């Protein structure tokens, strides 16, 4: 099967060092505009994978992202934002990066080339058949990610992937692949740019749509969000005021008493 790494093809822009700041920014922006259209083409693939995730989570399953470098960091960002946003347990959505937590800040040499380590990392979380594992790799060729999905497949664990090259080895390994083909980068091979943006958009879709399907949003509000700072408490109070006929002080008292927007509103409506 023919496989072309479009993420590694030469940029269509030449002599970047001779461009003014204005030209650099305008051209980067021009390339960035193409990313949502590439994601749009992948919506049917994303829908299929989200449906699988929701079904497994309703059975008590969890979601795992595995990746190396930028891809691994993006998975960790998305996973870490689910508890404060949706009030879910910290281990419902998990991000695992090749090289361990140290690799979040700085590259760990050869970590992405270890084809057996991802499965070991997943086993530390007692991975099981109710879970879903999504491998993230812009290139679609990262051994750490492919090796992890291969072992998941052998152990009857649902696998998905996010790649920015069509028909990549990763896409052909995952049961539910997502291909967002963004083409060559502005700086040749710098897949933290358009490819990274595409991955972030897809991850936002996966986690947000899954959490809404699981009932973690009411109307369009984050009614289960963690009230971890003054801004979020204020937002929670105003959410309550929008749902039930109380003033700011009454809403604040209800929120303090019940600890969440959802519980505060439910308590009031039960009176």
């Amino acid at each position: 099967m023919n496989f072309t790494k479009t993420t590694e093809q030469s940029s269509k822009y030449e002599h970047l060092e001779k461009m003014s700041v204005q030209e650099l920014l305008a051209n980067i922006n021009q390339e960035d505009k193409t990313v949502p259209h590439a994601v749009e083409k992948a919506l049917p693939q994303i829908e299929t994978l989200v449906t699988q995730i929701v079904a497994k989570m309703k059975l008590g399953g969890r979601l795992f992202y595995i990746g190396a470098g930028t891809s691994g960091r993006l998975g960790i960002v998305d996973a870490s934002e689910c508890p404060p946003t949706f009030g879910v347990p910290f281990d419902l959505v998990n991000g695992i990066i090749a090289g361990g937590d140290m690799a979040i800040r700085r590259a760990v040499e050869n970590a992405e080339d270890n084809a057996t380590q991802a499965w070991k990392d997943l086993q530390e979380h007692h991975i099981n058949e109710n879970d879903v594992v999504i491998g993230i790799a812009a290139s679609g060729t990262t051994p750490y990610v492919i090796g992890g999905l291969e072992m998941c497949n052998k152990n009857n664990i649902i696998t998905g992937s996010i790649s920015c090259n069509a028909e990549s080895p990763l896409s052909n390994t995952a049961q539910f692949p997502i291909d967002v083909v963004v083409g060559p980068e502005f700086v040749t091979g710098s897949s933290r740019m358009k490819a990274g943006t595409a991955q972030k958009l897809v991850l936002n879709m996966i986690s947000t749509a899954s959490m809404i399907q699981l009932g973690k949003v009411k109307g369009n509000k984050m009614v289960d969000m963690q009230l971890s700072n003054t801004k979020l408490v204020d937002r929670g109070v105003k959410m309550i005021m929008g749902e039930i006929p109380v003033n700011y002080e009454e809403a604040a008292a209800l929120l303090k008493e019940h600890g969440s927007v959802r519980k505060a509103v439910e308590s009031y409506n039960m009176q």
Side-chain angles (χ1 to χ4, degrees):
M1 182 178 293
N2 291 329
F3 169 56
T4 302
K5 275 193 196 180
T6 54
T7 54
E8 296 292 330
Q9 289 180 340
S10 184
S11 170
K12 66 182 184 182
Y13 300 87
E14 297 287 350
H15 307 298
L16 306 189
E17 74 280 7
K18 295 180 180 179
M19 291 182 185
S20 67
V21 172
Q22 189 276 329
E23 289 170 325
L24 288 169
L25 299 181
N27 288 329
I28 291 171
N29 181 242
Q30 193 62 36
E31 286 301 298
D32 287 345
K33 289 176 184 177
T34 69
V35 176
H37 297 293
V39 173
E40 183 178 9
K41 293 176 182 177
L43 286 177
Q45 293 179 313
I46 301 170
E47 178 185 358
T48 302
L49 180 53
V50 169
T51 302
Q52 294 290 326
I53 293 167
V54 172
K56 285 296 185 180
M57 282 187 168
K58 287 181 176 177
L59 296 174
R62 300 163 294 170
L63 175 59
F64 289 85
Y65 300 129
I66 59 172
T70 298
S71 297
R73 294 181 192 102
L74 288 169
I76 288 170
V77 167
D78 193 72
S80 67
E81 290 173 348
C82 287
T85 305
F86 302 109
V88 296
F90 72 93
D91 59 350
L92 182 65
V93 183
N94 305 272
I96 297 175
I97 187 170
D101 285 354
M102 185 173 78
I104 296 171
R105 290 184 175 272
R106 59 181 65 186
V108 175
E109 191 173 354
N110 298 326
E112 71 174 57
D113 298 324
N114 189 329
T116 61
Q117 187 60 44
W119 180 243
K120 295 175 185 175
D121 293 341
L122 287 165
Q123 284 181 302
E124 289 184 11
H125 296 266
H126 306 289
I127 192 91
N128 64 73
E129 293 180 9
N130 281 337
D131 299 326
V132 177
V133 178
I134 299 177
I136 313 170
S139 67
T141 60
T142 307
Y144 175 88
V145 179
I146 293 171
L149 293 200
E150 286 174 343
M151 288 303 296
C152 289
N153 289 337
K154 290 177 182 177
N155 286 274
N156 201 31
I157 295 165
I158 286 178
T159 55
S161 65
I162 305 172
S163 172
C164 294
N165 287 309
E167 296 294 339
S168 70
L170 176 61
S171 296
N172 290 325
T173 301
Q175 298 162 27
F176 299 97
I178 297 169
D179 299 317
V180 185
V181 183
V182 296
E185 296 286 2
F186 179 71
V187 176
T188 299
S190 183
S191 55
R192 69 186 182 88
M193 299 185 77
K194 287 193 300 182
T197 300
Q199 290 171 327
K200 178 72 167 83
L201 292 176
V202 173
L203 289 165
N204 283 351
M205 288 179 167
I206 289 171
S207 56
T208 304
S210 296
M211 294 300 149
I212 292 171
Q213 288 286 298
L214 291 167
K216 298 299 179 182
V217 171
K218 186 174 186 296
N220 57 19
K221 303 296 194 300
M222 298 180 288
V223 292
D224 291 325
M225 67 179 181
Q226 292 178 356
L227 305 169
S228 55
N229 59 45
T230 302
K231 178 191 75 173
L232 295 179
V233 170
D234 179 65
R235 183 188 296 167
V237 170
K238 290 172 181 174
M239 282 187 202
I240 293 170
M241 292 170 65
E243 291 290 321
I244 57 177
V246 292
N247 62 31
Y248 192 96
E249 290 71 24
E250 292 167 332
L254 282 169
L255 187 58
K256 185 175 181 180
E257 179 183 354
H258 297 284
S260 84
V261 174
R262 182 190 298 274
K263 290 176 182 176
V265 172
E266 288 176 349
S267 171
Y268 182 91
N269 288 333
M270 288 173 62
Q271 293 177 8

